[in-house]
Amino acid sequence: MTLFDLAKKNIKHNFIHYFLYFASMIFSIMIYYTFVSLAQDPAVIARIDKSAKLSTAFDASSIVLIIFVAIFILYSNHFFTRKRKKEIGLYSLLGLRKKEIGRMLFYENFLMGLGALVIGIALGTLMSKLFVTILLSVMNIGGVSNFVFSIDAVINTVVIFLIITLVTSFTGYRIIYRTTLLDLFHSESKREKTPKSNIFLALLSVVLIAIGYVVALQPLDSKASIWAKLGFGPGALVILISVILGTALLLSNFLPFLLGQIRKNKRIFYNGTNIISNSQLSFRIASNARTLAVIAILSATTLTAIGAIGSIYYSANKDADTSYPATFEYHIVDEKSNEEALQLVKNSKETPMIDNQETIVNYVKATSDREMPIEYSPEEGFAIISQSEYNKLLKLEESDVKKANLKDDEAILIAPTISYSPDNEKALKNQSFTLENSTKQKVTLTDARPESPFSTIFGVLIVSDDVASTINSAKPTTVQSIMTESPKDGVALGDQMKKVLPESAMFTSFPNGYEEIMSISGVLLFIGMFIGLVFLAATGSIIYFKQLTEAYNDVPTYDILKKIGLDRKQIRKTIAKQVLVIFLVPLILGIAHSSVALVALSNMLQMDLTLPVIMTTGIYTLMFIVYYFLTVNTYTNIVMGKKNR
């Protein structure tokens, strides 16, 4: 029998033991192939080719996914190889040389990799239709994609996973050559020493995390805040270092300290099976702490990224409405192009015109009684429109902004959105300006708003009709605002209008702008959710694999517990308590860290992140609950044997 035949026989007769590693490879290949094949889908290509940003985002994300998948497979392979150390020792004891054992393991790994490639690509082809449909939906394109089998995606996937297979085979060789026969047989019997808790480091961990939270929640625009004193870059660095270091110390020192305090409380420690759960955790806390710290930090990062991207996507509609108050807007440069553009809208059947308005905008210089809290050029002055024209625009655009009702000495400033903030609004109110018109009219601001009736003019001053009539600039601008039915369907119409209007008309289109916003934010949301959910699934798998490794090592321990009278229900309860801590710690820390980060981001960007936070946290928690029950069931079956067997 050749080594290749022996490898095939091993896989065939011990497939149940190989299944976890095989399944993790199939999962990784399926995910990677699905993502790569998305970029080959004609419906996605048509959209991505319009934006270099989207193409770059896909390329960068595929690299991140390669790194992530490689780490996940290497970890799974490490778990699989450690589990087989005793088997490798038996082969060595029977006379096989290390070189021959390495070749046999390479054949096994190659055969499983080949099978995983075929199954993973097949499943990825089936899943790609679902994911492309989801992608088109979040990009607000809609439609159902056909099945797409991409040869380029297959070649890409095969090459990447052949490289990963070679790397995993090399790590197997290293274990064989660096491990003695005695270590191979007794590796599972090695136990960690119970770590000595350090009360100073335990308290320091809590203080460090608290410092990170306090700095993160400081208002960024307040001069008295820590953010303002440190600066954005140093402030962010302080938060990252304190939270990461605090998390590592919390799990390596505070958790052992807490377990030690529980052992001192006899009422809790000797209650039921707590003594067993506590002891098991104490023996393994050092290696678990390292893994859980990494998972907690990376989970928090992922949740923060998904929440931030989700908030951008969910605010896309609002941003589009704010940026493009009218369906179409342009400056009238000449009557011919204006008439051609209007005729295109009037002839449109998909987006019939509701109404239009031509607004004359004059410009006037003004001097203020104090410094402006927003960017303002006295040489250029303000764009001026009358309150009646302003109110007509609000009605045309169906805006819910309060209409103007001004006296001659009053005005409303439409501040540029980029310069607007609640603090600036307060500072602007009651600020006075002297207009350099024929009457040198003095006006006082009664309100400052970010919602402009225009998408092409910024820094607009609304004055009474009488004051507006006294202003006649040398070069007034006439703005054409057009509203249509079903504005989101007017992309083709917008393209046609752009062709007939001169570049100096500064043409803006809501449907075209909305499409671009939704395309970019939709792709970012899809990539973030795709990679994020895959990552969260993998973190659960890593905890799952690590707990199963400990389960195989704990079989002799639980055999003793069975002999002294513990039944299956009691042992399952013991395992459930032990595993609960392992899953609960990164879950709580990940949610806490990401929640603080998203609240800070919400304050910084003045965006409502409630919905994205609830959705991502809920999905994250649900996934961990599923992994928790799966781990408890599998752990119990390993140490107790399957029920009714």
Side-chain angles (χ1 to χ4, degrees):
M1 180 180 289
T2 64
L3 289 173
F4 190 76
D5 293 331
L6 184 60
K8 289 193 295 183
K9 189 175 181 181
N10 280 343
I11 295 173
K12 182 178 179 180
H13 292 286
N14 299 290
F15 186 73
I16 188 68
H17 300 296
Y18 290 64
F19 178 74
L20 284 174
Y21 177 54
F22 187 62
S24 67
M25 288 184 70
I26 291 174
F27 172 77
S28 301
I29 292 166
M30 179 190 72
I31 289 299
Y32 181 75
Y33 172 78
T34 301
F35 190 81
V36 173
S37 65
L38 286 178
Q40 307 296 326
D41 188 280
V44 178
I45 289 174
R47 190 60 51 186
I48 290 178
D49 285 347
K50 292 183 179 180
S51 174
K53 295 178 182 177
L54 299 185
S55 181
T56 303
F58 260 96
D59 293 340
S61 301
S62 63
I63 294 171
V64 172
L65 201 57
I66 289 172
I67 296 170
F68 159 74
V69 164
I71 293 171
F72 180 50
I73 289 181
L74 286 170
Y75 187 90
S76 303
N77 178 262
H78 180 67
F79 160 77
F80 180 65
T81 307
R82 279 188 61 186
K83 185 171 169 281
R84 300 185 64 202
K85 277 188 175 181
K86 187 177 288 187
E87 178 189 339
I88 294 169
L90 284 172
Y91 285 128
S92 184
L93 195 64
L94 290 171
L96 284 178
R97 289 176 296 176
K98 289 183 176 180
K99 183 179 180 181
E100 293 172 325
I101 296 172
R103 281 174 58 197
M104 183 193 68
L105 292 180
F106 173 78
Y107 292 148
E108 288 182 11
N109 204 24
F110 178 77
L111 287 172
M112 285 193 294
L114 191 62
L117 269 172
V118 173
I119 297 173
I121 290 172
L123 291 174
T125 303
L126 295 174
M127 294 295 290
S128 62
K129 179 177 180 180
L130 171 64
F131 283 114
V132 170
T133 303
I134 293 172
L135 176 57
L136 295 178
S137 178
V138 297
M139 290 174 71
N140 201 50
I141 299 171
V144 178
S145 173
N146 297 320
F147 282 108
V148 175
F149 184 77
S150 171
I151 296 297
D152 290 340
V154 171
I155 294 172
N156 188 323
T157 305
V158 169
V159 170
I160 291 296
F161 281 90
L162 280 177
I163 294 171
I164 293 174
T165 300
L166 289 174
V167 173
T168 54
S169 299
F170 176 72
T171 57
Y173 265 100
R174 286 186 63 208
I175 291 174
I176 294 168
Y177 277 95
R178 295 181 62 183
T179 310
T180 64
L181 186 62
L182 188 64
D183 287 336
L184 288 171
F185 277 105
H186 294 282
S187 62
E188 293 183 356
S189 61
K190 292 180 181 179
R191 306 280 291 186
E192 294 181 25
K193 293 181 180 180
T194 305
K196 294 181 180 179
S197 59
N198 187 317
I199 182 64
F200 172 74
L201 292 178
L203 293 174
L204 179 62
S205 68
V206 178
V207 171
L208 284 172
I209 293 175
I211 289 172
Y213 284 7
V214 169
V215 174
L217 295 175
Q218 291 283 307
L220 187 63
D221 54 354
S222 174
K223 294 182 180 179
S225 70
I226 300 175
W227 273 109
K229 293 178 180 178
L230 292 176
F232 182 80
L237 191 63
V238 167
I239 294 169
L240 287 174
I241 292 173
S242 60
V243 171
I244 292 172
L245 186 59
T247 301
L249 291 175
L250 184 79
L251 292 168
S252 60
N253 288 276
F254 188 81
L255 193 55
F257 170 74
L258 186 62
L259 291 171
Q261 294 302 113
I262 292 174
R263 285 196 295 273
K264 291 178 182 179
N265 190 321
K266 295 182 180 180
R267 185 175 63 84
I268 298 175
F269 187 61
Y270 293 109
N271 182 19
T273 56
N274 286 349
I275 185 174
I276 302 170
S277 303
N278 189 294
S279 301
Q280 289 287 91
L281 279 171
S282 298
F283 276 117
R284 295 255 167 72
I285 195 62
S287 60
N288 278 325
R290 287 190 293 270
T291 303
L292 298 182
V294 172
I295 289 175
I297 293 298
L298 294 181
S299 297
T301 304
T302 306
L303 286 171
T304 303
I306 295 173
I309 294 170
S311 67
I312 293 172
Y313 179 78
Y314 284 110
S315 62
N317 281 297
K318 182 180 177 182
D319 290 344
D321 289 335
T322 303
S323 302
Y324 305 95
T327 308
F328 302 108
E329 181 182 313
Y330 57 88
H331 296 183
I332 299 176
V333 178
D334 59 80
E335 283 302 322
K336 182 182 177 182
S337 61
N338 177 41
E339 287 300 325
E340 288 180 1
L342 277 176
Q343 198 60 44
L344 284 172
V345 183
K346 291 174 182 177
N347 294 339
S348 174
K349 295 180 180 179
E350 291 185 355
T351 55
M353 186 169 76
I354 297 173
D355 202 356
N356 70 296
Q357 178 177 325
E358 295 182 7
T359 307
I360 298 175
V361 180
N362 284 291
Y363 295 88
V364 64
K365 296 180 181 180
T367 54
S368 176
D369 61 343
R370 59 178 183 269
E371 186 180 352
M372 286 278 284
I374 62 173
E375 187 176 342
Y376 168 69
S377 172
E379 290 77 19
E380 295 180 5
F382 289 111
I384 299 280
I385 62 172
S386 67
Q387 66 174 3
S388 59
E389 292 290 292
Y390 175 66
N391 291 339
K392 286 179 185 178
L393 278 172
L394 293 181
K395 184 179 179 181
L396 173 72
E397 295 164 356
E398 298 179 352
S399 174
D400 56 1
V401 176
K402 185 180 178 182
K403 291 184 178 182
N405 183 17
L406 301 169
K407 298 176 182 177
D408 288 349
D409 60 347
E410 296 176 339
I412 296 173
L413 177 64
I414 310 296
T417 307
I418 194 169
S419 303
Y420 181 83
S421 71
D423 287 343
N424 285 342
E425 181 186 353
K426 292 178 182 177
L428 284 168
K429 281 187 177 180
N430 299 320
Q431 185 163 357
S432 296
F433 295 93
T434 301
L435 307 179
E436 295 184 11
N437 61 344
S438 58
T439 61
K440 298 294 181 182
Q441 178 69 46
K442 184 176 182 180
V443 294
T444 302
L445 297 182
T446 59
D447 194 9
R449 304 172 180 176
E451 301 92 357
S452 176
F454 301 118
S455 56
T456 57
I457 297 177
F458 308 98
V460 182
L461 196 67
I462 315 300
V463 296
S464 69
D465 292 354
D466 290 340
V467 173
S469 65
T470 64
I471 300 169
N472 291 301
S473 56
K475 292 183 179 180
T477 299
T478 304
V479 181
Q480 181 72 270
S481 302
I482 303 172
M483 293 296 291
T484 69
E485 297 179 12
S486 306
K488 294 176 184 177
D489 299 328
V491 176
L493 177 59
D495 292 336
Q496 291 175 342
M497 293 176 69
K498 188 175 182 180
K499 291 178 181 178
V500 302
L501 290 167
E503 190 173 336
S504 57
M506 300 178 65
F507 174 70
T508 60
S509 165
F510 168 80
N512 297 84
Y514 180 79
E515 182 191 49
E516 184 177 357
I517 290 172
M518 293 303 291
S519 293
I520 295 174
S521 61
V523 167
L524 291 177
L525 176 66
F526 178 81
I527 291 173
M529 293 294 288
F530 191 92
I531 295 179
L533 291 178
V534 169
F535 172 78
L536 294 178
T539 55
S541 298
I542 288 171
I543 299 176
Y544 177 74
F545 284 142
K546 189 165 183 62
Q547 291 304 296
L548 294 198
T549 303
E550 296 182 359
Y552 284 111
N553 295 343
D554 286 341
V555 171
T557 303
Y558 283 98
D559 283 340
I560 295 172
L561 293 176
K562 285 187 283 185
K563 290 175 182 178
I564 64 175
L566 266 69
D567 58 21
R568 187 183 185 92
K569 185 177 179 181
Q570 290 173 312
I571 288 180
R572 180 183 169 84
K573 187 177 180 181
T574 301
I575 293 168
K577 290 179 181 178
Q578 176 184 331
V579 174
L580 180 63
V581 175
I582 301 299
F583 276 94
L584 201 60
V585 168
L587 175 66
I588 292 174
L589 287 174
I591 291 174
H593 293 346
S594 64
S595 297
V596 171
L598 288 169
V599 168
L601 187 65
S602 177
N603 294 336
M604 192 181 303
L605 302 179
Q606 296 179 11
M607 295 170 64
D608 185 8
L609 306 183
T610 305
L611 183 59
V613 170
I614 292 174
M615 287 180 64
T616 52
T617 302
I619 294 170
Y620 178 53
T621 304
L622 182 62
M623 289 177 66
F624 262 53
I625 289 173
V626 171
Y627 271 109
Y628 168 71
F629 284 109
L630 179 63
T631 304
V632 170
N633 288 335
T634 310
Y635 200 122
T636 305
N637 289 335
I638 289 171
V639 300
M640 293 294 294
K642 290 188 177 180
K643 202 171 184 180
N644 300 324
R645 190 174 68 176

